[in-house]
Amino acid sequence: MTETTETTRPFDAEVGRLLDLVVHSLYSEREIFLRELVANAADAIDRRRFLALSDESLALPEDASIRISVDKEARTITIADDGIGMTAEDLASHLGTIARSGTRAFTETLADAKPEERPSLIGQFGVGFYSAFMVADTVEMISRRAGTTAAHKWTSDGRGGYRIAEATRDTPGSDVILHIKPDADEYLEPVRLETILRKWADHISVPIRIERDGKFQPANEGTALWRKRKSDVAEQDYTEFYRHLGHMFDQPWATIHWSAEGSIEFSALLFIPGQSPFPVTEDDRESHVRLHVRRMFITDDAKLLPGWLRFIEGVVDTEDLPLNVSREMLQSTPVLARIRKALVNRVITELKSRARDAEAYKPFIEQFGPVLKEGIYDDNDHRTEIAALARFRSTNGDDLTSLDDYIARMPETQKDIYYITGEDPERIKASPQIEGLRAKGFEILLLSDQIDFFWPERLATYADKKLVHAGAASDIFEAAETPAALATLTAALKSALDAHVSEVRVSSRLTDSPAALAASGAQPDLALQRLMRRAGRQSYAPKPALELNPTHPLIERLIPHAESGEDMTDWATLLLDLARIQDGETPIDPARFARLVATKMTPT
């Protein structure tokens, strides 16, 4: 390279302050500099390819690529491309003014070009180049505009200004040379640079090569599977990409691959895993589907899918999404909102289709059913659709049921959908709270996932049927009469249990059990109260009620004891502990309970 003339120029006003923001505030990860410079290089190659359509003299070389080399002794990284290049005026205009992007200016010239003829350009705001100063104390750019023979070098330390000098370059394109800071030694390792490229730029179409051991070796895959037509992708290709994307070892249960066209355009490749990669109660409830813009990875934190679909892996790639200057903090735009809406609708459509085959749908429900049901609680727009996709255990048998199938089996005398919540489906299946409903031939949903304690109240109705907790299903039972003898017993038991129950009452809901606990008034059901206590959350609900089965032999046996004025404390304690055990609780005093059982079982 030979330099003949050199001019020194100050940056435009405010550039120094803006450069400081770029270096210290705009990007959260220092490694982003490589993504930004590679994006610029890819844009330059795409611009040259586009302009060559009308000017053959600008044609790209057959091996056009982005080449990255490291000189550890000189402490430099060089990023070279075969793109359109820049003149001295371009260097002054585009690199001397923050937020003036060659890409953006070029895009403005394409207003009359047909959409299919426009190249995919990544840069928009012209600040990505300056991210180089996060790792470099001096940056040089040697560039030669395609169609010319003159080359020029732009040099700056990112502070006072920049210099432009004549230079030489054998071919059109640009070389960006970074003089690495003392605290950025990690970026002088080719392996580190390749790792960054695999993360951020693996799928851009321009080949990227890194010099290792004197040879330039491929550093990106270069193929965006999601941009291909479905007919051109083999099943094995999908599986390999799924495993690469999510570090999985299983087969995807479902693959959703499509391109949206119309007011917004994007390509999506989503996978529903065959096995859950996380516990369904894990703390991270956010979707991590990857967002790409023109094949360049932007973030996996765009929340492209709601939390109740967080198990889905995949990629969404768009040409239409406006980004802010850092490309890391997405603007809340209508475009992004429409993409999210389209993704959710497409996933729901896929699940509806697959749900028609109950046996094939069962593995999905077993893996992700609890997460799916979170959508009934969270998603106002799709609540009913999600409820239709959910499956539940019930008293009808061992097979899971949908709400629609439940309703189809309802006898004419049943008007509502009944459910009971608890932590063990087998235990709640034997709950005394559902004895009366089962005696009427009514089916009860057995809800034992944590989210089951919350979504039924939010859903409220389904297909014009109210969802009613079994513990609150009192209006379908005749009011139990309380003869004087039973009144004496309930009063005696209430006196003995005053510290533990709000009331003792006769119930017509019990058929097999002598007694059961029930929530008082509008308080949360008892299973929910237990769940909240075990989660360390205080419960201020009133004491439960103790309900008695007036036809049970034990209750009938206790009436004479109460009428005689006998102390009913032991019997009351025994009844309460029996009810607690049936409800999944332990006796208040286990040792005393054992003694009472032994005493009452001993013949007198």
Side-chain angles (χ1 to χ4, degrees):
M1 181 188 73
T2 302
E3 300 177 15
T4 56
T5 61
E6 179 175 285
T7 58
T8 300
R9 309 180 188 184
F11 281 122
D12 282 2
E14 302 297 322
V15 165
R17 186 175 68 85
L18 289 172
L19 269 172
D20 184 67
L21 288 173
V22 169
V23 173
H24 298 107
S25 303
L26 190 59
Y27 298 97
S28 60
E29 297 181 69
R30 211 177 185 190
E31 65 183 37
I32 291 296
F33 83 92
L34 189 58
R35 183 191 74 182
E36 296 297 321
L37 295 179
V38 166
N40 289 344
D43 286 351
I45 290 174
D46 280 342
R47 297 212 307 272
R48 183 175 175 182
R49 179 182 291 112
F50 178 79
L51 292 173
L53 296 175
S54 55
D55 185 350
E56 293 183 359
S57 68
L58 303 180
L60 284 165
E62 291 185 3
D63 60 346
S65 63
I66 300 168
R67 299 168 299 282
I68 301 172
S69 56
V70 174
D71 185 333
K72 289 186 179 181
E73 291 187 8
R75 298 185 59 79
T76 61
I77 299 174
T78 300
I79 302 168
D81 66 65
D82 298 304
I84 191 63
M86 286 191 274
T87 64
E89 291 74 17
D90 292 334
L91 290 169
S93 175
H94 300 315
L95 301 187
T97 304
I98 288 286
R100 178 165 181 181
S101 166
T103 295
R104 188 173 185 181
F106 176 73
T107 303
E108 291 171 355
T109 69
L110 304 180
D112 298 327
K114 297 178 181 179
E116 63 270 16
E117 296 176 349
R118 296 175 185 172
S120 295
L121 306 176
I122 299 169
Q124 293 185 55
F125 294 91
V127 299
F129 175 82
Y130 301 97
S131 65
F133 288 104
M134 291 193 292
V135 298
D137 47 30
T138 300
V139 177
E140 299 173 329
M141 184 173 190
I142 300 171
S143 191
R144 172 182 162 185
R145 176 80 179 190
T148 71
T149 58
H152 295 83
K153 182 173 73 169
W154 179 97
T155 306
S156 177
D157 60 6
R159 293 191 289 273
Y162 60 93
R163 300 186 304 277
I164 294 180
E166 293 181 1
T168 59
R169 195 178 195 273
D170 294 338
T171 59
S174 299
D175 300 327
V176 178
I177 305 166
L178 311 182
H179 295 262
I180 299 302
K181 294 178 179 179
D183 65 346
D185 282 358
E186 63 177 296
Y187 301 110
L188 292 172
E189 298 294 336
V191 172
R192 176 73 171 106
L193 298 181
E194 184 173 351
T195 300
I196 297 170
L197 291 169
R198 294 289 184 186
K199 175 181 179 182
W200 295 103
D202 200 28
H203 301 287
I204 67 171
S205 58
V206 177
I208 305 172
R209 299 186 174 93
I210 290 183
E211 186 179 22
R212 299 180 66 177
D213 301 323
K215 296 181 180 180
F216 281 99
Q217 302 177 9
N220 71 319
E221 182 177 307
T223 300
L225 199 66
W226 56 87
R227 290 269 186 147
K228 293 185 175 182
R229 293 179 300 180
K230 291 175 64 175
S231 58
D232 294 336
V233 183
E235 197 65 33
Q236 184 60 31
D237 294 332
Y238 283 132
T239 299
E240 289 178 1
F241 181 70
Y242 161 74
R243 290 174 175 174
H244 166 75
L245 187 69
H247 307 291
M248 307 289 196
F249 299 97
D250 61 317
Q251 294 282 124
W253 180 77
T255 300
I256 308 172
H257 182 191
W258 90 106
S259 295
E261 299 178 351
S263 59
I264 56 170
E265 296 185 359
F266 63 88
S267 299
L269 179 53
L270 306 178
F271 300 98
I272 299 177
Q275 295 181 351
S276 173
F278 51 79
V280 295
T281 56
E282 96 288 10
D283 293 333
D284 185 3
R285 295 187 65 248
E286 302 293 348
S287 164
H288 292 290
V289 169
R290 293 164 60 96
L291 174 65
H292 289 235
V293 173
R294 303 160 185 108
R295 302 188 184 210
M296 183 70 73
F297 172 56
I298 301 300
T299 181
D300 65 356
D301 195 32
K303 301 176 179 58
L304 293 173
L305 289 173
W308 58 273
L309 290 175
R310 63 184 177 274
F311 50 82
I312 291 179
E313 301 280 349
V315 170
V316 174
D317 189 357
T318 180
E319 303 266 342
D320 297 332
L321 186 64
L323 305 174
N324 72 358
V325 288
S326 75
R327 300 187 190 158
E328 296 181 84
M329 298 166 288
L330 295 174
Q331 294 176 359
S332 180
T333 68
V335 172
L336 187 58
R338 289 198 295 271
I339 289 176
R340 288 173 176 146
K341 182 178 180 180
L343 291 174
V344 173
N345 289 338
R346 183 63 181 81
V347 171
I348 289 177
T349 298
E350 181 72 18
L351 291 176
K352 285 180 178 178
S353 175
R354 290 177 173 267
R356 297 189 185 104
D357 185 337
E359 198 60 33
Y361 191 59
K362 186 177 180 181
F364 166 76
I365 289 296
E366 290 175 345
Q367 292 291 328
F368 304 112
V371 184
L372 183 71
K373 285 187 286 188
E374 291 178 14
I376 308 177
Y377 184 85
D378 290 333
D379 198 318
N380 293 329
D381 295 331
H382 302 95
R383 180 168 291 131
T384 301
E385 290 178 287
I386 301 167
L389 291 169
R391 297 294 183 266
F392 313 93
R393 293 183 177 88
S394 81
T395 54
N396 185 57
D398 295 331
D399 292 336
L400 298 174
T401 184
S402 66
L403 292 178
D404 290 306
D405 289 342
Y406 175 101
I407 291 172
R409 292 190 296 268
M410 286 172 52
E412 291 185 5
T413 55
Q414 183 180 345
K415 305 302 180 185
D416 300 321
I417 298 171
Y418 296 104
Y419 68 93
I420 185 170
T421 54
E423 297 174 75
D424 182 343
E426 291 302 316
R427 179 176 290 173
I428 58 178
K429 189 175 182 179
S431 171
Q433 292 192 27
I434 65 174
E435 290 177 358
L437 294 172
R438 299 189 71 173
K440 289 179 175 290
F442 294 173
E443 182 178 350
I444 302 96
L445 300 178
L446 308 175
L447 308 183
S448 57
D449 295 319
Q450 289 191 9
I451 189 62
D452 289 333
F453 290 92
F454 306 101
W455 67 259
E457 185 175 350
R458 186 67 65 91
L459 181 62
T461 63
Y462 181 85
D464 297 325
K465 307 290 184 184
K466 290 193 300 182
L467 274 77
V468 178
H469 191 286
S474 58
D475 57 342
I476 62 172
F477 299 101
E478 295 181 3
E481 296 183 4
T482 307
L486 274 174
T488 301
L489 175 62
T490 57
L493 295 176
K494 175 61 173 70
S495 177
L497 298 175
D498 189 60
H500 302 288
V501 300
S502 60
E503 64 176 315
V504 178
R505 62 194 183 210
V506 176
S507 172
S508 59
R509 294 192 302 167
L510 301 175
T511 59
D512 301 316
S513 303
L517 289 171
S520 297
Q523 73 183 92
D525 75 83
L526 302 181
L528 176 56
Q529 293 180 48
R530 286 197 302 275
L531 181 68
M532 294 172 66
R533 288 197 300 271
R534 291 172 185 174
R537 298 177 61 181
Q538 286 185 304
S539 175
Y540 298 100
K543 294 177 288 188
L546 181 66
E547 294 187 340
L548 305 180
N549 178 358
T551 64
H552 195 279
L554 177 57
I555 301 303
E556 293 176 343
R557 178 185 169 190
L558 293 181
I559 292 175
H561 291 271
E563 289 180 325
S564 67
E566 179 183 328
D567 183 359
M568 299 297 292
T569 301
D570 285 350
W571 282 112
T573 301
L574 188 60
L575 277 176
L576 176 61
D577 284 342
L578 288 172
R580 286 174 61 87
I581 291 171
Q582 284 186 296
D583 211 37
E585 294 274 21
T586 59
I588 294 174
D589 183 343
R592 184 184 181 194
F593 173 73
R595 289 195 301 270
L596 286 174
V597 170
T599 299
K600 300 305 182 183
M601 291 177 64
T602 301
T604 55

